[in-house]
């Protein structure tokens, strides 16, 4: 079975500073990788996804992530955060042959301070 | 992107009553929908996979008689929490799988259930 670990439960960051959210996964088979953002009392919005091809993936709102197969990581980065980036971020994986059933990491709460 | 709508967004009920939550794909047909449960400040836990026209597949530890799932059409899945108790209070989120090779998932806004 696959699993996802988000190493940081909370990340405080100042406005306009860069941020990196770490995600590691384990799986014996090929996976798709995703990052989602959740604002309070809302569902999830897809930030970006890695399916195949280039390991550097660019998403919405200035976010990007890099797939590193050897380190089984899919870290999310943004060079300059805004107050509006304050939210919960979830890394998720799905097995290519398993009907896209997602397994989520524990989430990282980003708090952007002015 | 595609839109998935959940209703109601908030529901408060008395212990022992049943509550139905609807999940609709508004602009696409979804043969598969997923129901998740999220406790405060925690991640999403998959409860069940709902397939149109067939029985739902429940994850280990999820009581199928407690959480009834019906997927009667390609645009609607419902989750009924039967005989709700305070421990069933949670945020319930559905997602619907789009078409295509990757079948990207689109999430509803979530439904917060509070059982008194």
């Amino acid at each position: 079975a696959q699993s996802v670990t988000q190493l940081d439960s909370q990340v405080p960051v100042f406005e306009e500073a860069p941020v990196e959210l770490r995600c590691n996964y384990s799986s014996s088979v090929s996976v798709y990788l995703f990052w989602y953002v959740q604002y309070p009392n809302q569902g999830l919005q897809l930030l970006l996804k890695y399916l195949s091809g280039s390991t550097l993936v660019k998403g919405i709102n200035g976010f990007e992530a890099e797939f590193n197969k050897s380190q089984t990581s899919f870290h999310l980065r943004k060079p300059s955060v805004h107050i509006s980036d304050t939210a919960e971020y979830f890394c998720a994986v799905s097995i290519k042959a398993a009907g896209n059933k997602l397994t989520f990491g524990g989430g990282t709460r980003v708090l952007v301070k002015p | 992107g595609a839109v998935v709508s959940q209703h109601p967004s908030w529901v408060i009920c008395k212990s022992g009553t049943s509550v139905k939550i609807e999940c609709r794909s508004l602009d696409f047909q979804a043969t598969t929908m997923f129901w998740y449960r999220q406790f405060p400040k925690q991640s999403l836990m998959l409860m069940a996979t709902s397939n149109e026209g067939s029985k739902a597949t429940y994850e280990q530890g999820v009581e199928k008689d407690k959480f009834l799932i019906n997927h009667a059409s390609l645009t609607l899945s419902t989750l009924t929490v039967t005989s709700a108790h305070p421990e069933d209070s949670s945020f319930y989120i559905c997602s619907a799988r789009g078409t295509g090779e990757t079948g990207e998932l689109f999430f509803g806004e979530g439904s917060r259930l509070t059982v008194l």
Side-chain angles (χ1 to χ4, degrees):
Chain A
Q2 67 276 22
S3 66
V4 181
T5 302
Q6 291 182 242
L7 297 168
D8 306 295
S9 59
Q10 286 194 85
V11 173
V13 59
F14 286 105
E15 193 174 16
E16 298 184 5
V19 70
E20 179 179 81
L21 308 183
R22 295 179 292 170
C23 172
N24 287 88
Y25 71 93
S26 66
S27 175
S28 58
V29 298
S30 296
V31 297
Y32 297 136
L33 295 155
F34 306 82
W35 274 99
Y36 288 89
V37 60
Q38 184 181 35
Y39 299 101
N41 294 312
Q42 293 188 29
L44 275 66
Q45 181 182 5
L46 180 67
L47 283 177
L48 48 78
K49 59 187 176 184
Y50 173 79
L51 305 177
S52 65
S54 174
T55 57
L56 182 62
V57 180
K58 293 188 183 298
I60 62 171
N61 302 341
F63 284 94
E64 65 179 32
E66 185 156 19
F67 170 56
N68 187 318
K69 189 174 182 179
S70 63
Q71 297 185 5
T72 60
S73 67
F74 190 55
H75 300 335
L76 180 71
R77 289 186 283 265
K78 185 169 182 177
S80 176
V81 297
H82 303 290
I83 295 291
S84 59
D85 292 322
T86 294
E88 188 87 20
Y89 292 80
F90 291 98
C91 181
V93 302
S94 70
I95 294 177
K96 291 182 178 181
N100 305 101
K101 190 164 63 173
L102 287 174
T103 299
F104 286 90
T108 298
R109 184 172 300 275
V110 173
L111 176 59
V112 181
K113 302 176 181 180
Chain B
V3 179
V4 175
S5 177
Q6 276 184 248
H7 178 80
S9 302
W10 298 81
V11 56
I12 300 173
C13 70
K14 292 182 178 180
S15 185
T17 61
S18 295
V19 174
K20 179 185 286 188
I21 301 170
E22 295 185 347
C23 177
R24 294 182 183 272
S25 55
L26 298 185
D27 51 0
F28 68 103
Q29 294 183 330
T31 55
T32 302
M33 292 185 175
F34 301 91
W35 285 95
Y36 293 85
R37 183 174 182 177
Q38 186 180 30
F39 290 104
K41 298 185 180 182
Q42 294 189 27
S43 188
L44 282 74
M45 300 299 295
L46 180 65
M47 298 175 66
T49 302
S50 172
N51 297 300
E52 187 268 335
S54 64
K55 291 182 179 180
T57 303
Y58 290 82
E59 295 299 303
Q60 191 173 8
V62 178
E63 299 176 62
K64 60 180 67 175
D65 295 330
K66 175 74 169 177
F67 299 100
L68 300 179
I69 291 172
N70 183 278
H71 194 158
S73 77
L74 288 171
T75 59
L76 174 64
S77 175
T78 60
L79 168 67
T80 301
V81 183
T82 62
S83 186
H85 288 92
E87 57 266 29
D88 299 323
S89 298
S90 190
F91 195 54
Y92 293 89
I93 303 176
C94 74
S95 66
R97 190 172 72 193
T99 56
E101 180 184 336
T102 63
E104 179 177 337
L105 291 182
F106 301 97
F107 285 81
E109 313 96 321
S111 300
R112 183 164 300 285
L113 169 64
T114 301
V115 184
L116 302 177

